[in-house]
Amino acid sequence: MKILKDLEAVARPTQLCALLPFFNGNQSDNLSINSAGKLYGRVMALILLVSSVLFCHDVLFASENYKLMVHSQGETEDINRTIETLFCIVSYTIIVVSSVLNTSKHFRTIRDLSLLDGYLEAHGYTASYSCRYLGSLLIFVSASVVVVAFYYIHFLSNIDVKRQCILMCIYGLQMLYSCVFALYLRTILMCLALRIEFLNARLEQFTQKDREQYLKDDWCELSNLIEILCKFRYITENMNSVTGVALLFFFGFSFYTVTNQSYLAFSTLTTPDQLRKEHDTMGLSCAWVIAETAIMAIICSSFDCLASEVSGKVNMYSHTDMSV
């Protein structure tokens, strides 16, 4: 199945992170969800849910023990960091739990795409999308957050070893799930956009032809194209319902983090030189801002490419052809 081949590069990491179910079968008519894989996803979600409750409890009621700097500039910075850490835990937990609960919708999306690929390949569709270089960049900026956070937490703070491990686990899980989630969305959304672009190109061939010269086979082909486009619009709507909750919490955390870390960076710059070393978290702030901005940009640009194909040309051609 072409869609599974197109997703091959990101499918395994996404499945191991329980964001995508494991599948059985190599044909669209025998494709099914792997029972062991389904159990694996539920166990992963349960483990993350329980650990997240424990982490949130400790961060909330022992926030003084998670201070990055011994001398803070004020209670506002400590409160903002605590909220950011709690938001971080909730964000990656909801991404996983939402994906596991929407396993059947994920399966339906892949199955429907595999069925439509049969028609597209029969008419010459061969395009594929690779995010190798973009993925390498995203992995680098995500890893930089973890590395920089380890430097500040282990070498510059007075946080005890147990809570150092907790904080690094929180940051590591957030960057792992954000990166994998973004790359999966990028790949599948761009695959959808390429398929719709191919259909739009075939529709454009019909619009450039004089309708009086249409043969009976042309009308059948035109009807099939419009039907396939409608099915693709259904798939895109299904993708919105599958990822909507996860994206809501991810973007909520990302916007808060970018705002908070930008404020902390600005506070560092405006701190007198003789006090700056006691409050300087500029490196961590920059790493967070760059990573979260990059991930948001990748996700937003992917949805924008898909929306341009679906809402632009599809609407124009569908309206033109259906009025015949």
Side-chain angles (χ1 to χ4, degrees):
M1 290 180 289
K2 180 167 176 52
I3 184 60
L4 292 183
K5 292 179 181 178
D6 292 344
L7 294 174
E8 186 175 6
V10 298
R12 187 61 64 188
T14 309
Q15 290 170 331
L16 291 175
C17 290
L19 302 182
L20 185 70
F22 290 87
F23 300 109
N24 288 326
N26 54 8
Q27 298 293 332
S28 56
D29 55 353
N30 64 2
L31 185 67
S32 61
I33 300 177
N34 186 291
S35 300
K38 191 173 184 178
L39 178 62
Y40 168 81
R42 291 178 176 178
V43 171
M44 283 288 292
L46 181 61
I47 292 173
L48 276 177
L49 191 59
V50 173
S51 64
S52 296
V53 172
L54 297 176
F55 289 165
C56 284
H57 180 273
D58 197 51
V59 171
L60 184 61
F61 293 101
S63 58
E64 286 294 320
N65 297 320
Y66 285 92
K67 293 177 63 174
L68 285 181
M69 290 296 170
V70 178
H71 304 284
S72 64
Q73 291 176 303
E75 293 184 359
T76 302
E77 286 77 4
D78 290 338
I79 293 173
N80 286 340
R81 288 191 185 276
T82 300
I83 294 175
E84 182 181 85
T85 305
L86 292 173
F87 216 160
C88 182
I89 299 170
V90 173
S91 174
Y92 70 73
T93 304
I94 292 298
I95 289 175
V96 178
V97 172
S98 175
S99 297
V100 171
L101 292 177
N102 286 304
T103 296
S104 59
K105 291 184 178 180
H106 277 293
F107 167 72
R108 193 180 309 129
T109 298
I110 301 299
R111 184 197 60 192
D112 291 345
L113 279 173
S114 66
L115 292 171
L116 295 177
D117 278 348
Y119 173 87
L120 296 178
E121 288 183 289
H123 288 80
Y125 177 75
T126 59
S128 61
Y129 176 77
S130 173
C131 60
R132 180 181 305 172
Y133 298 110
L134 194 62
S136 300
L137 175 63
L138 200 58
I139 291 172
F140 173 77
V141 296
S142 298
S144 67
V145 174
V146 179
V147 173
V148 174
F150 175 77
Y151 170 75
Y152 276 93
I153 293 170
H154 185 71
F155 294 105
L156 300 183
S157 73
N158 290 332
I159 302 175
D160 61 79
V161 177
K162 174 187 174 182
R163 290 189 167 88
Q164 284 185 23
C165 294
I166 292 176
L167 205 52
M168 287 306 305
C169 182
I170 292 171
Y171 289 167
L173 286 173
Q174 170 61 31
M175 298 318 302
L176 171 66
Y177 281 106
S178 296
C179 182
V180 173
F181 187 51
L183 290 177
Y184 168 68
L185 283 178
R186 177 74 181 184
T187 304
I188 193 169
L189 291 176
M190 292 305 295
C191 286
L192 278 169
L194 288 174
R195 284 159 171 77
I196 295 174
E197 182 181 12
F198 175 79
L199 291 173
N200 284 335
R202 289 186 60 82
L203 272 173
E204 191 170 2
Q205 295 175 0
F206 282 98
T207 61
Q208 293 175 351
K209 188 176 180 180
D210 190 350
R211 294 176 185 175
E212 295 180 356
Q213 298 179 2
Y214 279 9
L215 301 176
K216 183 178 180 180
D217 291 341
D218 292 331
W219 288 111
C220 292
E221 178 67 14
L222 183 60
S223 177
N224 289 335
L225 285 172
I226 295 174
E227 182 180 357
I228 295 295
L229 279 170
C230 290
K231 290 180 179 179
F232 269 109
R233 297 190 70 175
Y234 166 76
I235 291 173
T236 58
E237 291 174 359
N238 189 51
M239 281 296 300
N240 287 332
S241 64
V242 169
T243 60
V245 175
L247 284 173
L248 174 64
F249 280 87
F250 167 74
F251 276 106
F253 165 75
S254 296
F255 282 127
Y256 186 87
T257 299
V258 170
T259 303
N260 184 46
Q261 293 298 334
S262 298
Y263 164 74
L264 292 174
F266 179 77
S267 297
T268 300
L269 290 175
T270 56
T271 300
D273 294 337
Q274 61 271 22
L275 299 176
R276 183 170 297 179
K277 289 184 179 180
E278 298 178 352
H279 311 287
D280 189 1
T281 58
M282 177 67 72
L284 184 58
S285 296
C286 291
W288 270 118
V289 171
I290 292 172
E292 294 300 325
T293 302
I295 294 174
M296 286 192 291
I298 288 173
I299 294 177
C300 291
S301 63
S302 303
F303 275 101
D304 182 64
C305 289
L306 180 59
S308 298
E309 293 295 335
V310 175
S311 302
K313 294 181 179 180
V314 173
N315 284 339
M316 180 177 67
Y317 292 138
S318 297
H319 181 269
T320 302
D321 293 329
M322 292 300 291
S323 64
V324 174

